[in-house]
Structures are given as structure tokens and as C-alpha cells.
Amino acid sequence: MSFPLTSPLLPCVSSTFSNITLFGASIIKLEATQLTNASLAYPYYPIFSGLNFCNVSVSYTHPGQNDTLHVQVWLPSTTYTERMQGIGGGSYAAGLNDVAFGGMALAVSEGYAAVTLDAGLPSQETVDLQPQDWALLSPGNVDLYALQNLGSVSLSDATLLAKDFVKRYYGQPPKFSYWNGCSQGGRQGLMLAQQYPDLYDGILAGSPAISWNKWAVGDYYPTFIMDQLKQYPYPCEVEAIRTAAINACDGLDGVIDGIITDPEACHFNPSTLVGGPVNCSDVAGPHKISDAAVKVVQAVWGGARDARNESLWYGLNKDAVITGSSGLAETACTNGTCSRSPPPLCNTWLQYFLAKDPSVDLSRMTQTYYDDLFRISVQQYTSIYGTDDPDLRSFRDSGGKMITYHGLADVLIPPANTQHYYDAATAVDQSIQDYYRLFFSPGLGHCFGGLGGRPAGAFDALQTWVENGTAPDILIGTSIADSQGKVLARPLCLYPQKQVYKGSGNTSVAESFACE
Ligand SMILES: *[C@@H]1O[C@H](CO)[C@@H](O)[C@H](O)[C@H]1NC(C)=O
Ligand SMILES: *[C@@H]1O[C@H](CO)[C@@H](O)[C@H](O)[C@H]1NC(C)=O
Ligand SMILES: *[C@@H]1O[C@H](CO)[C@@H](O)[C@H](O)[C@H]1NC(C)=O
Ligand SMILES: *[C@@H]1O[C@H](CO)[C@@H](O)[C@H](O)[C@H]1NC(C)=O
Ligand SMILES: *[C@@H]1O[C@H](CO)[C@@H](O)[C@H](O)[C@H]1NC(C)=O
Ligand SMILES: *[C@@H]1O[C@H](CO)[C@@H](O)[C@H](O)[C@H]1NC(C)=O
Ligand SMILES: *[C@@H]1O[C@H](CO)[C@@H](O)[C@H](O)[C@H]1NC(C)=O
Ligand SMILES: *[C@@H]1O[C@H](CO)[C@@H](O)[C@H](O)[C@H]1NC(C)=O
Ligand SMILES: *[C@@H]1O[C@H](CO)[C@@H](O)[C@H](O)[C@H]1NC(C)=O
């Protein structure tokens, strides 16, 4: 089922795509360039060679909003499978960076027309992208149009443009349209299902950064606790506590592999570890685990609480890595002394979107101020960026299918939030599994990493569901090879089922596990 069938394609020149209209937008510039036998190299992907496609690049504005947004659509010019794929972004980036281009090249190599977008935000390239260069119009004034572009509007714009380009180039619209993203890309996928339910036939929304306005404050809580205690634990202490939890709970699932398969069954209490020995490269000689380190880890696991000791936000599971770059309990240590090192995505959310003042000193925050910031975040940003409307019935009614996977050892977005969202969507519509399925992956970190498995076949499973009507009951997660080259394949179970070891058999192969 490949195109061109009979008729030759129109030339890849801008006039082929002229007179494009998009309601609410004004086109600034459109370029179309043919790539022939192209070799493209991007990080995290193999080198792609022999690619033939028409690169349509468009910039546009929403008149009156003083914004400039960019979209790129790559249209395969030899093998086209009559399908379109939207490629999601990461961090604060909507797309249009090297990681998204890697996804574009992969999609084109498989015969998809592919689309990526920048939502009008500058500097999409940086991996640890931050919003400093667009969040504020001036101190005190958030650029809400920019945030709205990132949150939702750019997704509809880019998809409508891409579908229009496909129609002009091939003479007919795509037979099937898919979204493919994780983290920010997962949030984008959920936003599409919630707000633009008829644009995509299939949505893969991995580790979705939904409830952004809550997790970005909630994940800051361990840093707040350190500031309250005025103590910044050594990473070795924090890691020793995490290791003790894994040692206590790893075997509950019948397999010693460093993975806590059922976090709810792990009731490890770290307070007994205070004063215990720990080897630290951060400090000379033997060291003892401090009370502060235990309190900080408890803050990570228990989640954020307000002045009334009511829960504001979920904790991470006990095998999630919480030290190292962006870790929720990370500290910066030199010469045996550690200081605060807040998770960057949270820190900028608090500074730019909540305090709206880059010079604010968050280290002096009181519990009352923390609670205020959380409340402000919920009040001001839920509709524009929260992306957690549980009513997916319009998506159902337009025939869409959606898959979410989420690592139980996610280091940034608590899987409990995705579970909460899915339960809320189920409360709205009991038939949710007919069109939206959730799979947790024990041991998987945030989209990648960790000891657990990434479901590489999730996109194919989605496509089979959309096109052949066969809904997936499991996904197979495959881990990164360890130092001995060992790879774990495990079934990711359809929520609310859980993965259990059958009690015998090779623990590296999926067949040794069942879903119950
Ligand atoms: C674009 O629109 C103009 C004016 O409506 C029309 O004359 C022209 O033929 C159109 N071009 C294409 C390629 O459709
Ligand atoms: C395509 O490019 C490769 C190098 O990347 C070259 O070896 C090959 O001959 C080219 N094929 C054609 C048909 O030009
Ligand atoms: C696609 O076109 C845009 C705009 O001309 C250009 O910046 C970009 O590098 C092109 N992409 C590729 C892969 O050639
Ligand atoms: C529009 O944005 C540009 C920067 O992108 C800025 O220099 C200019 O002042 C803005 N104009 C208005 C009217 O806000
Ligand atoms: C610290 O390292 C020493 C020497 O390698 C080892 O004997 C000891 O068991 C370690 N202690 C802990 C708490 O890991
Ligand atoms: C806060 O609530 C948690 C969970 O119910 C409980 O474990 C903790 O002891 C409470 N803290 C205080 C100070 O009451
Ligand atoms: C670390 O300690 C060494 C030796 O005491 C000293 O020379 C160096 O300046 C210190 N570095 C920092 C960053 O404090
Ligand atoms: C759908 O089923 C047909 C027949 O079994 C198969 O050839 C095709 O690959 C399937 N398509 C997808 C997307 O799974
Ligand atoms: C278990 O399965 C893995 C992957 O198939 C294989 O490499 C390994 O040799 C097997 N181990 C045993 C003990 O059979």
C-alpha cells in the first residue's frame, strides 16, 4: 500500500503549497526543498541514508499576538504509506530540534509524512531547554500567548497545516494520522486527545508530563525541605537509602533484579537507617547517614504536603533514581560541602511562571509561600497548560485510540499521577479501555533509562489497534543491556493488571511473567 500509485507527484516547490490558509493565522513564509538520497544524522538515532522527501517549512503568526511559529513537514517522495506522524517534543521544547528531527527521519524512512513544530518558542535545540527567553514579557507579566501556543494551539495549527500539505502533494489526505511523543510529547498527545479530539486516529503518549502546573511545584518539595532543614545531604547518603529500599523490596516480586515491580507492596521505612554507615566519595573517610538525608528521601517518596499536612502531590517510587543531574534530591557538592541544586524544570517554573520574577530567592521560601505558589499554579495554569481534563468522550466518539506507557521508576513525573488521571477518565467513562489503554513498566525511568523495559513496539501496537481493530493487552518492554550485555524482556501489563513472575523460568524472557 504505497504511493505514488499512478499519478506523478507535484513538484516540491513553494507554489505547490501556495494559498495555504489556516484560521486564526497568517502565513509569513513558506519554503519547499527536495532532498534526494539524503543522509541525515541526529543524536540517539542511527544515521539515516537514502532518504527522499520534500521538506516544507512554514512560518506564521497569530495576528495581534506578535508571535512567530515554525512548522516543518517532511513528505516522502518515493515510498509513502499514506500515513502521517506528528513527532512530540521534550522538556519545554515543542519539537523542531535535533531529537525531533531524528524522529522525523525515522518516520520518513518508514514511509510516513512527518510533522514537527516549535510553538513559536526560541532555542528549541538545547537539551535541558529552559523557558527564560520567552516566559516573561516583563517582570510580573507572563507571556500567556506563548504558553498557550506551547500548551495547545500550536498542536492544532501544525497538524492542520501538515494535513493540508499532504493533501496537496499526494492529492489526498492521509488515510491515518498518528501522534508519537513522550514526556512533553506525551503531554502534547493528551492535549490533542482532550482539546482537538478529531485530529489524530492514534496517539502514543508516553510518560506524559500532564498536570505540569502541579508536578513542577510538587517535585520542588524535597528542595524546599532541604532549605527548611538548612541541610543538603550527600548524594551517597541518599543513594544508600534508595539502595536499602531496593534491597528490602526487590525480592517481594520473586525476582532479584533491582526492580520494585509492585511499589504499593513496598512499605520500607527508612528512619531506622539514621546513623548507619555509608561510604562516600563526596567526603573523606566513613560517614553516617544523617537524619536530614532520611527526611529528604521521605519527602521524595511521600510527595509534597502543605501547612495542614495535606497531600499536594505524589511521591516517586522507591527505586527511582533521585540523585544526579535533575534528580529530585540532588545537591551540588564540592570539597565535602553540599549546597542546593533544585531540579531545573521546577526551579524555572517557580521563578518565571509563579513568582514571575527571575531574581526571586526561593531558598528563603516559607511553607506558606510554597502553599501559595502551588495554589497560584493550579488557579492560573490548569486550563492553559494542565492537560489533565479526564473527559475523553469526544476522542472516543471521533474513533481515536490512545496508548500511554509510564515507567514505575520515573525520576520526574510520578506514575501515580498518570494512574490518577486514568482512574479519573475511567470514572467519566467506564468503557475507556475500548479507546485508551495504560501500561506501567516496572523499573523504567522517565521515557528512557532505569533497569526496566521501554516498550519499543508501542507505536506498532497502536497502529494495529487503529487499523486492524486489535487492541493490545500487553506491550513488551526491553531494557538497556547491562554491563554483561544482559537484556530483560518483560510484559507491561494492561492497567490495572500487574506483572508477576510465574515462579520459574528465565527472568530475562517475557514468557516467564504473567499479568494478573
Ligand atoms: C492562489 O490564489 C490566487 C488568488 O485567489 C489565484 O489566482 C491562484 O491561481 C492561486 N494559486 C494556486 C496555486 O492555487
Ligand atoms: C546515494 O548516496 C550514497 C552515499 O550516501 C551513494 O553511495 C549512492 O551512490 C547514492 N545513490 C544514488 C542513486 O545516487
Ligand atoms: C528544511 O527546510 C528548512 C527551511 O529551509 C531548513 O532550515 C532545514 O534545514 C531543512 N531540513 C533539512 C533536513 O534539509
Ligand atoms: C513583538 O516581539 C518583538 C520580539 O519578538 C519585540 O521586539 C516587539 O517589541 C514586540 N512588539 C509588541 C508590540 O509587543
Ligand atoms: C565501605 O567500604 C569498605 C571497603 O570497601 C567495605 O568493607 C564496607 O563494607 C563498606 N561499607 C558500606 C556501609 O558500604
Ligand atoms: C503528615 O501526614 C503523613 C501521612 O498521613 C504522616 O505520615 C505524617 O506523620 C504527618 N506529619 C505530621 C507532622 O503530622
Ligand atoms: C577545595 O579545597 C582545596 C584544598 O583545601 C582548595 O585548594 C580549593 O580551593 C577548594 N576548592 C573549592 C571550590 O572550594
Ligand atoms: C493488519 O492486518 C493485516 C492482515 O493480517 C496485516 O497484513 C497488516 O500488517 C496489519 N496492519 C497493521 C498496521 O498491523
Ligand atoms: C535467559 O535468556 C536470555 C535471553 O534470551 C539468554 O541470553 C540467557 O542465556 C538465558 N539464561 C539461561 C540461564 O537460560
Side-chain angles (χ1 to χ4, degrees):
M1 197 167 53
S2 289
F3 224 75
L5 300 170
T6 49
S7 52
L9 292 170
L10 293 174
C12 178
V13 293
S14 60
S15 62
T16 294
F17 306 98
S18 67
N19 294 358
I20 290 282
T21 57
L22 176 65
F23 181 67
S26 166
I27 306 298
I28 297 169
K29 189 175 173 194
L30 187 147
E31 291 172 277
T33 318
Q34 178 70 42
L35 282 88
T36 303
N37 195 27
S39 290
L40 298 176
Y42 300 107
Y44 311 116
Y45 287 90
I47 292 174
F48 298 94
S49 51
L51 295 184
N52 303 303
F53 64 93
C54 179
N55 171 15
V56 188
S57 174
V58 60
S59 53
Y60 66 98
T61 186
H62 300 112
Q65 295 187 12
N66 196 28
D67 53 4
T68 306
L69 301 87
H70 302 88
V71 168
Q72 264 184 49
V73 181
W74 294 2
L75 302 164
S77 44
T78 44
T79 305
Y80 170 54
T81 62
E82 301 179 82
R83 297 179 179 93
M84 191 182 95
Q85 203 177 129
I87 306 295
S91 177
Y92 276 96
L96 215 80
N97 54 24
D98 274 354
V99 180
F101 288 138
M104 296 279 283
L106 177 62
V108 165
S109 75
E110 294 175 344
Y112 296 84
V115 54
T116 182
L117 58 142
D118 75 350
L121 311 177
S123 60
Q124 299 284 306
E125 273 310 327
T126 331
V127 173
D128 276 323
L129 187 96
Q130 293 292 342
Q132 292 91 324
D133 49 5
W134 59 266
L136 292 176
L137 295 166
S138 60
N141 300 296
V142 170
D143 187 344
L144 290 172
Y145 282 132
L147 185 63
Q148 177 178 264
N149 281 338
L150 174 63
S152 56
V153 173
S154 64
L155 298 165
S156 157
D157 289 346
T159 305
L160 293 173
L161 287 169
K163 286 191 175 184
D164 200 348
F165 297 161
V166 164
K167 193 160 174 235
R168 285 169 191 240
Y169 193 57
Y170 303 108
Q172 48 185 275
K175 278 212 173 108
F176 299 102
S177 300
Y178 295 95
W179 181 263
N180 191 352
C182 197
S183 192
Q184 168 69 260
R187 189 204 64 78
Q188 290 169 315
L190 261 306
M191 182 59 93
L192 283 159
Q194 292 164 16
Q195 200 158 319
Y196 309 106
D198 55 358
L199 289 185
Y200 285 91
D201 303 294
I203 293 174
L204 179 60
S207 315
I210 58 172
S211 314
W212 187 298
N213 54 329
K214 293 182 181 172
W215 68 253
V217 194
D219 281 5
Y220 187 86
Y221 186 67
T223 298
F224 165 67
I225 292 296
M226 291 185 225
D227 289 336
Q228 294 272 294
L229 297 168
K230 297 193 171 58
Q231 291 189 63
Y232 304 91
Y234 295 112
C236 57
E237 298 175 78
V238 170
E239 185 58 17
I241 297 166
R242 186 181 81 101
T243 302
I246 293 171
N247 289 343
C249 294
D250 181 2
L252 296 177
D253 48 40
V255 184
I256 301 292
D257 54 4
I259 296 171
I260 299 176
T261 302
D262 183 5
E264 285 166 18
C266 178
H267 303 293
F268 175 73
N269 179 355
S271 56
T272 56
L273 298 176
V274 175
V278 60
N279 286 330
C280 284
S281 58
D282 307 304
V283 58
H287 187 73
K288 290 190 162 84
I289 294 177
S290 64
D291 186 47
V294 167
K295 288 203 165 83
V296 169
V297 174
Q298 280 171 323
V300 175
W301 292 347
R305 293 190 166 268
D306 66 11
R308 299 184 199 95
N309 197 33
E310 283 170 12
S311 174
L312 292 173
W313 185 243
Y314 308 99
L316 299 180
N317 289 328
K318 297 184 178 68
D319 54 348
V321 175
I322 54 178
T323 52
S325 165
S326 304
L328 298 198
E330 174 64 354
T331 54
C333 306
T334 42
N335 274 2
T337 307
C338 302
S339 57
R340 65 200 310 276
S341 176
L345 295 180
C346 304
N347 202 46
T348 45
W349 181 260
L350 268 59
Q351 287 181 311
Y352 289 83
F353 293 96
L354 304 184
K356 300 163 185 149
D357 176 5
S359 68
V360 66
D361 181 2
L362 295 173
S363 72
R364 299 158 63 86
M365 179 154 57
T366 61
Q367 177 81 55
T368 307
Y369 187 59
Y370 181 81
D371 295 358
D372 283 347
L373 291 187
F374 196 93
R375 180 177 48 75
I376 286 168
S377 199
V378 171
Q379 289 170 336
Q380 297 184 358
Y381 297 109
T382 295
S383 77
I384 189 171
Y385 203 48
T387 323
D388 46 15
D389 179 351
D391 187 349
L392 296 170
R393 289 175 296 178
S394 297
F395 183 67
R396 174 197 69 190
D397 294 345
S398 70
K401 303 282 182 278
M402 180 158 58
I403 291 176
T404 286
Y405 62 87
H406 200 134
L408 288 178
D410 196 309
V411 302
L412 184 68
I413 317 287
N417 185 55
T418 291
Q419 179 174 345
H420 171 81
Y421 175 74
Y422 194 84
D423 289 346
T426 307
V428 174
D429 179 13
Q430 295 291 321
S431 74
I432 188 117
Q433 282 194 351
D434 293 350
Y435 56 93
Y436 183 26
R437 294 191 168 210
L438 169 61
F439 301 86
F440 287 115
S441 180
L444 177 66
H446 185 57
C447 296
F448 303 93
L451 301 175
R454 209 179 136 259
F459 188 81
D460 288 347
L462 175 67
Q463 194 165 307
T464 299
W465 192 8
V466 167
E467 298 180 21
N468 284 358
T470 313
D473 293 326
I474 60 163
L475 301 174
I476 300 297
T478 312
S479 71
I480 301 166
D482 69 10
S483 52
Q484 281 98 51
K486 189 171 149 190
V487 169
L488 305 181
R490 300 271 167 91
L492 314 191
C493 300
L494 176 61
Y495 175 78
Q497 292 191 330
K498 289 179 177 178
Q499 180 194 97
V500 289
Y501 182 51
K502 287 176 177 170
S504 63
N506 188 334
T507 57
S508 294
V509 303
E511 291 72 26
S512 304
F513 297 80
C515 291
E516 289 178 359

mmCIF file of all heavy atoms in Angstrom, residues 48 51 112 117 133 140 146 180 189 213 228 280 306 308 322 344 409 487:
data_model
loop_
_atom_site.group_PDB
_atom_site.id
_atom_site.type_symbol
_atom_site.label_atom_id
_atom_site.label_comp_id
_atom_site.label_asym_id
_atom_site.label_seq_id
_atom_site.Cartn_x
_atom_site.Cartn_y
_atom_site.Cartn_z
ATOM 1 N N PHE A 48 20.570 7.936 9.066
ATOM 2 C CA PHE A 48 19.611 7.588 8.024
ATOM 3 C C PHE A 48 20.232 7.931 6.675
ATOM 4 O O PHE A 48 20.794 9.010 6.502
ATOM 5 C CB PHE A 48 18.310 8.382 8.197
ATOM 6 C CG PHE A 48 17.599 8.087 9.491
ATOM 7 C CD1 PHE A 48 17.816 8.875 10.613
ATOM 8 C CD2 PHE A 48 16.737 7.005 9.592
ATOM 9 C CE1 PHE A 48 17.169 8.595 11.813
ATOM 10 C CE2 PHE A 48 16.091 6.720 10.793
ATOM 11 C CZ PHE A 48 16.312 7.516 11.902
ATOM 12 N N LEU A 51 17.377 8.895 1.992
ATOM 13 C CA LEU A 51 16.049 9.492 2.195
ATOM 14 C C LEU A 51 15.697 10.427 1.036
ATOM 15 O O LEU A 51 16.529 11.228 0.598
ATOM 16 C CB LEU A 51 16.006 10.292 3.501
ATOM 17 C CG LEU A 51 16.182 9.528 4.813
ATOM 18 C CD1 LEU A 51 16.016 10.478 5.997
ATOM 19 C CD2 LEU A 51 15.215 8.365 4.929
ATOM 20 N N TYR A 112 6.201 7.479 6.341
ATOM 21 C CA TYR A 112 5.223 8.420 6.883
ATOM 22 C C TYR A 112 5.556 9.841 6.438
ATOM 23 O O TYR A 112 6.734 10.225 6.391
ATOM 24 C CB TYR A 112 5.246 8.438 8.419
ATOM 25 C CG TYR A 112 4.848 7.158 9.088
ATOM 26 C CD1 TYR A 112 5.777 6.139 9.274
ATOM 27 C CD2 TYR A 112 3.554 6.980 9.561
ATOM 28 C CE1 TYR A 112 5.419 4.965 9.906
ATOM 29 C CE2 TYR A 112 3.192 5.800 10.192
ATOM 30 C CZ TYR A 112 4.127 4.796 10.361
ATOM 31 O OH TYR A 112 3.776 3.631 10.983
ATOM 32 N N LEU A 117 7.115 20.934 15.208
ATOM 33 C CA LEU A 117 6.728 22.332 15.409
ATOM 34 C C LEU A 117 7.531 22.933 16.555
ATOM 35 O O LEU A 117 8.028 22.206 17.412
ATOM 36 C CB LEU A 117 5.235 22.404 15.747
ATOM 37 C CG LEU A 117 4.802 21.608 16.977
ATOM 38 C CD1 LEU A 117 3.744 22.358 17.749
ATOM 39 C CD2 LEU A 117 4.250 20.243 16.568
ATOM 40 N N ASP A 133 13.984 32.551 28.058
ATOM 41 C CA ASP A 133 13.992 33.509 26.953
ATOM 42 C C ASP A 133 12.605 33.785 26.376
ATOM 43 O O ASP A 133 12.489 34.524 25.409
ATOM 44 C CB ASP A 133 14.980 33.063 25.863
ATOM 45 C CG ASP A 133 14.801 31.616 25.480
ATOM 46 O OD1 ASP A 133 13.853 30.970 25.978
ATOM 47 O OD2 ASP A 133 15.595 31.105 24.680
ATOM 48 N N GLY A 140 6.839 40.141 36.327
ATOM 49 C CA GLY A 140 5.439 40.186 36.760
ATOM 50 C C GLY A 140 4.435 39.795 35.690
ATOM 51 O O GLY A 140 3.273 39.552 36.008
ATOM 52 N N ALA A 146 2.384 32.842 24.520
ATOM 53 C CA ALA A 146 3.464 31.880 24.247
ATOM 54 C C ALA A 146 3.175 30.552 24.944
ATOM 55 O O ALA A 146 3.332 29.480 24.355
ATOM 56 C CB ALA A 146 4.804 32.454 24.699
ATOM 57 N N ASN A 180 3.131 10.783 18.138
ATOM 58 C CA ASN A 180 4.137 9.932 18.770
ATOM 59 C C ASN A 180 5.012 10.784 19.677
ATOM 60 O O ASN A 180 5.818 11.572 19.192
ATOM 61 C CB ASN A 180 4.988 9.280 17.659
ATOM 62 C CG ASN A 180 5.892 8.186 18.179
ATOM 63 O OD1 ASN A 180 6.014 7.992 19.391
ATOM 64 N ND2 ASN A 180 6.534 7.474 17.268
ATOM 65 N N GLY A 189 0.327 14.860 23.357
ATOM 66 C CA GLY A 189 -0.608 13.835 22.900
ATOM 67 C C GLY A 189 -1.917 13.883 23.679
ATOM 68 O O GLY A 189 -3.007 13.825 23.100
ATOM 69 N N ASN A 213 1.497 21.984 35.825
ATOM 70 C CA ASN A 213 1.442 23.046 36.831
ATOM 71 C C ASN A 213 1.463 22.495 38.247
ATOM 72 O O ASN A 213 1.736 23.231 39.188
ATOM 73 C CB ASN A 213 0.201 23.936 36.609
ATOM 74 C CG ASN A 213 -1.082 23.145 36.547
ATOM 75 O OD1 ASN A 213 -1.095 21.989 36.107
ATOM 76 N ND2 ASN A 213 -2.181 23.739 36.975
ATOM 77 N N GLN A 228 14.390 24.194 54.401
ATOM 78 C CA GLN A 228 13.825 24.299 55.753
ATOM 79 C C GLN A 228 14.800 23.750 56.791
ATOM 80 O O GLN A 228 14.997 24.340 57.839
ATOM 81 C CB GLN A 228 12.517 23.493 55.824
ATOM 82 C CG GLN A 228 11.399 24.029 54.974
ATOM 83 C CD GLN A 228 10.575 25.067 55.694
ATOM 84 O OE1 GLN A 228 9.906 24.756 56.667
ATOM 85 N NE2 GLN A 228 10.653 26.305 55.259
ATOM 86 N N CYS A 280 31.318 7.228 51.160
ATOM 87 C CA CYS A 280 31.052 8.399 50.335
ATOM 88 C C CYS A 280 32.303 8.844 49.602
ATOM 89 O O CYS A 280 33.334 9.054 50.225
ATOM 90 C CB CYS A 280 30.600 9.570 51.206
ATOM 91 S SG CYS A 280 28.922 9.435 51.771
ATOM 92 N N ASP A 306 1.168 20.295 52.392
ATOM 93 C CA ASP A 306 1.005 21.711 52.725
ATOM 94 C C ASP A 306 1.074 21.923 54.231
ATOM 95 O O ASP A 306 1.322 20.978 54.997
ATOM 96 C CB ASP A 306 -0.293 22.260 52.120
ATOM 97 C CG ASP A 306 -1.536 21.645 52.735
ATOM 98 O OD1 ASP A 306 -1.426 20.937 53.776
ATOM 99 O OD2 ASP A 306 -2.623 21.865 52.179
ATOM 100 N N ARG A 308 -1.127 22.256 56.364
ATOM 101 C CA ARG A 308 -2.074 21.420 57.122
ATOM 102 C C ARG A 308 -1.714 19.938 57.048
ATOM 103 O O ARG A 308 -2.493 19.093 57.445
ATOM 104 C CB ARG A 308 -3.490 21.596 56.559
ATOM 105 C CG ARG A 308 -4.020 23.007 56.643
ATOM 106 C CD ARG A 308 -5.471 23.037 56.135
ATOM 107 N NE ARG A 308 -5.842 24.392 55.779
ATOM 108 C CZ ARG A 308 -5.760 24.897 54.548
ATOM 109 N NH1 ARG A 308 -5.344 24.156 53.550
ATOM 110 N NH2 ARG A 308 -6.102 26.139 54.315
ATOM 111 N N ILE A 322 17.199 9.343 42.416
ATOM 112 C CA ILE A 322 16.847 10.700 42.864
ATOM 113 C C ILE A 322 18.068 11.588 43.081
ATOM 114 O O ILE A 322 17.936 12.731 43.488
ATOM 115 C CB ILE A 322 15.960 10.656 44.130
ATOM 116 C CG1 ILE A 322 16.607 9.840 45.249
ATOM 117 C CG2 ILE A 322 14.599 10.075 43.779
ATOM 118 C CD1 ILE A 322 15.781 9.824 46.536
ATOM 119 N N PRO A 344 16.016 21.689 37.585
ATOM 120 C CA PRO A 344 15.916 22.887 36.745
ATOM 121 C C PRO A 344 14.512 23.181 36.219
ATOM 122 O O PRO A 344 14.078 24.330 36.220
ATOM 123 C CB PRO A 344 16.874 22.597 35.582
ATOM 124 C CG PRO A 344 17.773 21.531 36.071
ATOM 125 C CD PRO A 344 17.047 20.758 37.112
ATOM 126 N N ALA A 409 9.667 3.562 37.679
ATOM 127 C CA ALA A 409 10.832 4.192 38.300
ATOM 128 C C ALA A 409 11.102 5.553 37.651
ATOM 129 O O ALA A 409 12.243 6.026 37.608
ATOM 130 C CB ALA A 409 12.057 3.283 38.212
ATOM 131 N N VAL A 487 19.956 -8.353 28.746
ATOM 132 C CA VAL A 487 18.771 -7.553 28.435
ATOM 133 C C VAL A 487 17.559 -8.241 29.047
ATOM 134 O O VAL A 487 17.424 -9.463 28.960
ATOM 135 C CB VAL A 487 18.599 -7.428 26.903
ATOM 136 C CG1 VAL A 487 17.253 -6.830 26.553
ATOM 137 C CG2 VAL A 487 19.727 -6.601 26.301
#
